[in-house]
Amino acid sequence: MGSAAPDDPEVRAPPDNEKGSTMATPPARRPLQPRPETARRREEILRAAIATFGAKGYKGPLSDIAEQVGMTHAGVLHYFGSKSALLLEVLKFRDFEDVEDLPTHHMPGDAGLFRHLVKTAFLNARRAGIVQAFTVLSSEAVTDDHPARSFFEERYVNLRAEVADAFRVMCAEEGIDAPETVDRAAASILAVMDGLQIQWLLDPTAVELGETTEFAIEAIVAQVLSPRDTPLSSPPRSPTD
Amino acid sequence: MGSAAPDDPEVRAPPDNEKGSTMATPPARRPLQPRPETARRREEILRAAIATFGAKGYKGPLSDIAEQVGMTHAGVLHYFGSKSALLLEVLKFRDFEDVEDLPTHHMPGDAGLFRHLVKTAFLNARRAGIVQAFTVLSSEAVTDDHPARSFFEERYVNLRAEVADAFRVMCAEEGIDAPETVDRAAASILAVMDGLQIQWLLDPTAVELGETTEFAIEAIVAQVLSPRDTPLSSPPRSPTD
DNA sequence: CCCATCTTACTTTCTCGACAGTAAGTTAAA
DNA sequence: TTTAACTTACTGTCGAGAAAGTAAGATGGG
């Protein structure tokens, strides 16, 4: 039991007197001063974990992460309890960082959202490590019992809702009503961002991440706000079945 | 060395006489009749591997695959030599199947390509196993030394080129010249297909795979053939750096 | 200010389960 | 009687987590 997260407030149960009956609440001590080093070390580990999960996936050994911060794998477990707990903290950490520098500290709800997404894509082109971690993990997570599966499930639900809300605001301004299109467009925008990251990670010279994301988002937004008749005559049902 | 793929034509080197010198080509026998069972077993294994790689990723144990065909893991290795060799054969097998039922046996080069892609998306909505295998593996493959990395690198290069060619054909018909846009649109179309598959695999009830793919492809095609001015006033450069 | 004591922040070491690949033996078909 | 198509058994390795020990701060009492 020496491996609980040290700064977890829940864990601090001061031991009541449990020896004899004559003892009067002996040492109700609580030197709960989390050392200032601790927070910094934790963040060091998180950043190393991002790099390693990105480079090797979740299955990469804990010792890879530990070495980067000059520690043994047991030291990392001391901070995070288990490998999957570390993974989930990594994911939350990056999501937090993503909106950290926004003035309102959460995403804009109107057309500004799309500008924010494009800006993020340009930014991502400068930080392959983090992008790779999220890309690898979000796809690994579709496997049946992956520890990050529910994290990503919820994440996409929330993101789609945010994007769809932004679309609805814009549609209202233009007097457009197309609920189905809005939902599909929201999913498409997230999809194109993820998909472009895969291609970019496989060959950064082959895809311009920022510019291509911008193009695709503009295409989808345009199709929502002023739909054109389809140039593909579509018999969409599969013929052979 | 007893574990080479049994039907690999390269491996069939009949042993010349190497015993003594007076012996005259003693038993130049060749019972090299690959049994008809063999090809069927191989395909059984490949299909089981698709299901398992999809459900558990590449890191899933070989014995999972072996059990599905009533074999031990060593039996699987007898056919494919190594786990990564099996992986690569799985990938090639699925790519082959994809165009197998096309009349020309390769993808159309014009607007028909986009119809084919949409049709494939509707079809994929019926076969989660194969989709999941490709989705999981293509993202796992971005890790540094994954055995399937170069497979996917080349695959995207080829697919982007095919889609871009189709765009160029259509642009020529319409008298449009926009080479950069064509390249970005090609990458975007593949991206949106991959990204939608991730979301769909995480929650099939949340995303309509076929319909949404169709919407996104139409949006991108429309933007190429008749681009509109951007509704997003864009200062794309990242401000804080 | 200093000492006794508790806690944090690790390390070393061990266990135990997976799992890929190998080697040798077995059966049956050609 | 040779070879393909396996099986059983074994090996080596790797990796997560538990256990226990240790060193260095804090903390409070005097």
Side-chain angles (χ1 to χ4, degrees):
Chain A
M1 274 296 180
S3 57
D7 53 350
D8 191 349
E10 244 92 55
V11 188
R12 304 275 152 258
D16 266 283
N17 57 337
E18 50 181 47
K19 275 280 174 60
S21 48
T22 53
M23 295 284 270
T25 57
R29 206 86 108 77
R30 59 157 188 65
L32 317 213
Q33 198 83 337
R35 296 196 204 159
E37 268 293 287
T38 303
R40 228 182 313 149
R41 290 293 267 169
R42 271 181 69 90
E43 195 169 321
E44 265 186 81
I45 296 172
L46 286 173
R47 293 191 189 283
I50 287 172
T52 302
F53 286 151
K56 315 254 189 178
Y58 176 63
K59 71 175 178 193
L62 260 187
S63 50
D64 281 7
I65 297 167
E67 276 169 23
Q68 285 179 69
V69 294
M71 220 185 258
T72 63
H73 86 276
V76 173
L77 289 176
H78 168 69
Y79 279 92
F80 294 94
S82 77
K83 195 189 181 187
S84 55
L86 170 61
L87 170 63
L88 294 177
E89 296 235 31
V90 162
L91 296 173
K92 283 188 286 186
F93 179 71
R94 133 90 210 233
D95 259 8
F96 167 75
E97 273 199 326
D98 231 28
V99 294
E100 190 179 21
D101 53 330
L102 253 50
T104 116
H105 270 227
H106 61 74
M107 292 203 191
D110 58 348
L113 176 59
F114 300 106
R115 281 192 293 272
H116 172 69
L117 293 177
V118 170
K119 210 171 68 183
T120 301
F122 275 98
L123 177 60
N124 282 345
R126 307 270 179 135
R127 45 176 195 181
I130 293 177
V131 172
Q132 187 160 329
F134 247 59
T135 298
V136 172
L137 293 174
S138 68
S139 298
E140 271 190 15
V142 312
T143 56
D144 291 339
D145 53 348
H146 198 279
R149 172 154 191 149
S150 65
F151 174 87
F152 281 105
E153 270 180 42
E154 288 164 28
R155 182 168 192 265
Y156 279 112
V157 167
N158 294 332
L159 288 175
R160 275 193 302 259
E162 283 191 79
V163 177
D165 280 345
F167 268 126
R168 275 186 281 269
V169 168
M170 292 172 77
C171 283
E173 283 172 4
E174 312 266 328
I176 296 168
D177 180 57
E180 268 200 338
T181 301
V182 161
D183 289 336
R184 290 175 186 167
S188 298
I189 281 182
L190 300 177
V192 85
M193 294 182 73
D194 291 341
L196 286 175
Q197 285 174 3
I198 296 175
Q199 293 179 53
W200 176 74
L201 287 168
L202 282 171
D203 184 356
T205 69
V207 178
E208 298 167 310
L209 187 59
E211 290 83 354
T212 310
T213 303
E214 188 174 24
F215 164 82
I217 288 181
E218 280 177 2
I220 293 165
V221 170
Q223 184 76 352
V224 171
L225 295 184
S226 55
R228 257 85 57 79
D229 52 345
T230 147
L232 304 101
S233 62
S234 52
R237 285 291 147 205
S238 69
T240 60
D241 192 17
Chain B
M1 277 295 179
S3 56
D7 54 348
D8 191 348
E10 243 94 52
V11 188
R12 304 274 152 257
D16 265 283
N17 57 335
E18 49 182 49
K19 275 279 174 59
S21 50
T22 52
M23 296 282 272
T25 57
R29 255 287 218 128
R30 59 155 187 69
L32 318 214
Q33 199 83 335
R35 297 194 203 160
E37 267 295 286
T38 303
R40 228 183 314 149
R41 289 303 301 225
R42 272 182 67 91
E43 194 169 320
E44 266 186 81
I45 296 172
L46 286 173
R47 293 192 188 283
I50 286 172
T52 301
F53 287 151
K56 315 252 189 180
Y58 177 62
K59 70 177 180 192
L62 260 186
S63 51
D64 281 8
I65 296 167
E67 276 169 22
Q68 286 178 68
V69 294
M71 219 185 259
T72 63
H73 86 276
V76 174
L77 288 176
H78 169 70
Y79 280 91
F80 294 94
S82 77
K83 196 189 182 188
S84 54
L86 169 61
L87 170 63
L88 294 177
E89 297 235 30
V90 161
L91 296 172
K92 283 188 287 186
F93 179 71
R94 135 92 207 232
D95 258 10
F96 167 74
E97 272 200 327
D98 230 30
V99 294
E100 191 179 23
D101 53 329
L102 253 49
T104 117
H105 269 230
H106 60 75
M107 292 204 191
D110 57 349
L113 175 60
F114 300 106
R115 281 192 292 273
H116 171 69
L117 294 178
V118 170
K119 209 171 69 183
T120 302
F122 275 98
L123 177 61
N124 282 344
R126 307 269 178 138
R127 45 176 195 181
I130 292 177
V131 172
Q132 187 160 329
F134 247 57
T135 298
V136 171
L137 293 174
S138 67
S139 298
E140 270 189 15
V142 312
T143 56
D144 291 339
D145 53 348
H146 197 280
R149 173 156 189 146
S150 65
F151 174 87
F152 280 106
E153 270 179 42
E154 287 164 29
R155 182 168 192 265
Y156 279 111
V157 168
N158 293 335
L159 287 176
R160 275 193 303 259
E162 283 191 79
V163 177
D165 280 345
F167 268 125
R168 275 187 280 270
V169 168
M170 292 172 76
C171 283
E173 284 172 4
E174 311 268 327
I176 295 170
D177 180 56
E180 270 201 336
T181 301
V182 161
D183 288 336
R184 291 175 185 167
S188 298
I189 282 182
L190 300 176
V192 86
M193 295 182 74
D194 291 340
L196 286 174
Q197 285 174 3
I198 296 175
Q199 293 180 53
W200 177 74
L201 287 168
L202 283 171
D203 183 357
T205 69
V207 178
E208 299 167 311
L209 188 58
E211 291 83 354
T212 309
T213 302
E214 187 173 25
F215 164 81
I217 289 182
E218 281 176 3
I220 292 165
V221 170
Q223 185 76 350
V224 171
L225 295 186
S226 56
R228 256 84 57 77
D229 51 346
T230 147
L232 304 101
S233 62
S234 52
R237 283 293 146 204
S238 70
T240 60
D241 193 17

